[in-house]
Amino acid sequence: EVCDMSDNYPSDVKLDENPDGSVSFATGVVETIAGLAAQEVEGVASMASVSTGLADMFTRKSTRNLTKGVRVDINGGTVAVDVTIVVEYGSPIPDVAKSIQENVKKAIETMSGLDVRNVDVHVQAVSFERENRAAQELKEHQQKLLENSMREQEAQEAASAPEAAAAAAEQAAPEADGLDEELDLDED
């Protein structure tokens, strides 16, 4: 999917000017790179909304989702990045934040050639979605095990019912044989 940032971000960043021409790109490109790099980090549940102005209300949905929770300030050839995230419950926040800083810095510098001055990470919330999903999956697994166990028990009971009837008949038969023998003895 191609996201054309030029409509939303009219100010271009001039990257290079040489005798062959110049290279420039919309500032939203840097925000998109930062947003995607942050979302790749283990422990990031989602990007969080940053309080925004009216401009964001009119941006295309696909663009806004890629840059959600990201603000960049480009001054000359250097970039300052603010990333706002929701962290997954159980994830060590300092480690997640450090990984975001490293991943965002590397991605922006590699893809744009700009120098990243700093990446500030703001944790807005903690998500329990993964924990809740794991608990639900465990509950469903236990329910299936219980149902399978009950089916097996019913099948065993059904299979053993004829055997039980035969065993009961056998137990009754020796008593009857014994009675016959007693009766035979009495007749003699």
Side-chain angles (χ1 to χ4, degrees):
E1 178 178 339
V2 174
C3 290
D4 178 12
M5 304 293 171
S6 60
D7 296 343
N8 303 323
Y9 301 91
S11 61
D12 284 354
V13 176
K14 194 154 274 196
L15 180 62
D16 186 23
E17 204 162 341
N18 59 51
D20 295 330
S22 66
V23 177
S24 64
F25 51 89
T27 56
V29 170
V30 178
E31 288 182 343
T32 299
I33 293 168
L36 290 171
Q39 290 176 47
E40 290 174 353
V41 174
E42 181 74 26
V44 174
S46 65
M47 302 301 288
S49 297
V50 179
S51 60
T52 57
L54 280 176
D56 273 0
M57 292 174 67
F58 298 106
T59 58
R60 288 195 306 250
K61 187 175 182 179
S62 62
T63 302
R64 188 173 68 240
N65 287 345
L66 294 175
T67 60
K68 180 180 178 181
V70 180
R71 287 287 168 255
V72 298
D73 178 35
I74 302 174
N75 188 1
T78 62
V79 183
V81 183
D82 281 300
V83 178
T84 305
I85 65 160
V86 174
V87 71
E88 292 177 348
Y89 176 77
S91 298
I93 295 172
D95 295 346
V96 171
K98 183 71 174 157
S99 294
I100 289 171
Q101 290 170 325
E102 292 168 355
N103 212 35
V104 168
K105 178 177 171 61
K106 179 182 174 189
I108 291 174
E109 290 180 347
T110 301
M111 294 180 71
S112 73
L114 295 168
D115 180 42
V116 176
R117 183 172 60 241
N118 61 295
V119 177
D120 294 330
V121 178
H122 308 278
V123 179
Q124 189 176 62
V126 176
S127 171
F128 295 93
E129 190 173 317
R130 185 173 69 173
E131 294 295 312
N132 291 342
R133 192 170 44 241
Q136 181 62 30
E137 287 173 5
L138 178 62
K139 184 178 177 182
E140 289 171 3
H141 181 69
Q142 289 173 335
Q143 182 65 31
K144 285 180 185 174
L145 288 175
L146 179 62
E147 289 171 2
N148 289 342
S149 175
M150 290 175 68
R151 270 192 233 110
E152 288 175 10
Q153 187 176 359
E154 289 170 0
Q156 286 176 352
E157 288 174 2
S160 66
E163 293 171 12
E170 280 182 29
Q171 286 178 351
E175 292 173 8
D177 287 345
L179 287 175
D180 289 344
E181 288 175 13
E182 286 177 17
L183 290 174
D184 289 342
L185 290 176
D186 290 338
E187 290 175 9
D188 289 339

